Amino acid sequence: QKEVEQNSGPLSVPEGAIASLNCTYSDRGSQSFFWYRQYSGKSPELIMFIYSNGDKEDGRFTAQLNKASQYVSLLIRDSQPSDSATYLCAVNLQLGNQFYFGTGTSLTVIP
Amino acid sequence: KAGVTQTPRYLIKTRGQQVTLSCSPISGHRSVSWYQQTPGQGLQFLFEYFSETQRNKGNFPGRFSGRQFSNSRSEMNVSTLELGDSALYLCASSLQGSYNEQFFGPGTRLTVL
């Protein structure tokens, strides 16, 4: 089992819809969870981070963390074509205190 | 505040050569992490430096090494290059360490021929 797993997609949603991206992780002791967005040919940029169970909202983005089930998700409301990118889940695993990325989910928002 | 800078942006080398990549973190950030990104493997952690000390290391061979200077700038060195080392090398800086949010530089695209 990989340390961080994401559905690679591609995920396509119509403009204005909600996009739901999911991520699971292996280390139950993980404390920090991050979502990055990476446009083609660019470096990853931080969207959100979450440390506590529950939801965290920032504009159109909501991160959800469930430590008991070891998953973290990202919801994008009112999806826009400019949201089309690869979304990377990153987890700071307690074991070895290393930072692991999932392989990313490719999202396409169709106008 | 200036972002993370990496030099050079592009490099072409041949097998057997060595290469040094440079990363300047955001002012005030003491942690620099290095990652290798390839289409097949995604982003893979190489190592993290904090206050001139290597704090964490990923599962890469000893040909990959790094260091950090007193001004927090970091260099990564790859010796005896192999074709499989062709990748985008990204560095990321953070205030205290990889458990904080990290900010990425634009990357160095290395091609090994």
Side-chain angles (χ1 to χ4, degrees):
Chain A
Q1 182 189 5
K2 289 190 173 181
E3 292 83 3
V4 180
E5 296 204 58
Q6 293 181 255
N7 186 332
S8 62
L11 175 65
S12 294
V13 299
E15 184 174 354
I18 295 176
S20 178
L21 306 160
N22 299 310
C23 170
T24 59
Y25 57 95
S26 62
D27 183 0
R28 187 172 289 275
S30 300
Q31 298 293 321
S32 312
F33 309 86
F34 304 84
W35 283 100
Y36 285 82
R37 176 176 62 198
Q38 187 172 26
Y39 292 112
S40 180
K42 301 292 186 181
S43 57
E45 56 178 332
L46 181 68
I47 300 175
M48 291 189 69
F49 58 88
I50 185 167
Y51 299 145
S52 304
N53 270 331
D55 295 0
K56 179 181 179 182
E57 188 174 313
D58 184 0
R60 296 186 296 112
F61 299 95
T62 299
Q64 299 175 317
L65 174 61
N66 184 324
K67 289 188 177 181
S69 299
Q70 294 174 239
Y71 84 78
V72 57
S73 62
L74 179 70
L75 300 179
I76 306 175
R77 290 182 301 281
D78 188 25
S79 295
Q80 302 296 310
S82 59
D83 294 328
S84 298
T86 296
Y87 289 80
L88 300 165
C89 170
V91 178
N92 179 248
L93 302 183
Q94 185 179 58
L95 184 65
N97 194 30
Q98 289 196 18
F99 205 73
Y100 283 91
F101 281 83
T103 52
T105 298
S106 175
L107 171 67
T108 300
V109 180
I110 303 167
Chain B
K1 187 185 265 193
V4 180
T5 59
Q6 290 187 247
T7 57
R9 294 293 311 279
Y10 302 92
L11 265 179
I12 299 176
K13 293 285 188 179
T14 57
R15 279 181 299 174
Q17 289 187 308
Q18 78 166 28
V19 66
T20 299
L21 313 181
S22 180
C23 171
S24 292
I26 292 170
S27 177
H29 284 194
R30 297 166 65 189
S31 168
V32 174
S33 295
W34 288 90
Y35 296 86
Q36 181 194 66
Q37 188 173 35
T38 57
Q41 298 295 320
L43 265 168
Q44 292 186 285
F45 173 76
L46 281 155
F47 29 66
E48 179 200 5
Y49 284 87
F50 182 85
S51 293
E52 301 179 65
T53 301
Q54 187 181 86
R55 193 156 66 171
N56 286 303
K57 190 176 190 304
N59 298 321
F60 278 80
R63 300 185 296 107
F64 292 82
S65 63
R67 59 178 176 168
Q68 187 180 33
F69 302 95
S70 58
N71 62 357
S72 293
R73 188 179 70 86
S74 177
E75 287 182 348
M76 189 191 90
N77 184 275
V78 188
S79 62
T80 319
L81 284 166
E82 301 176 359
L83 295 179
D85 296 333
S86 295
L88 179 67
Y89 289 88
L90 292 159
C91 86
S93 81
S94 66
L95 202 56
Q96 292 290 344
S98 57
Y99 48 85
N100 295 142
E101 51 266 47
Q102 298 185 57
F103 299 90
F104 283 85
T108 295
R109 172 75 62 184
L110 172 64
T111 302
V112 182
L113 302 176

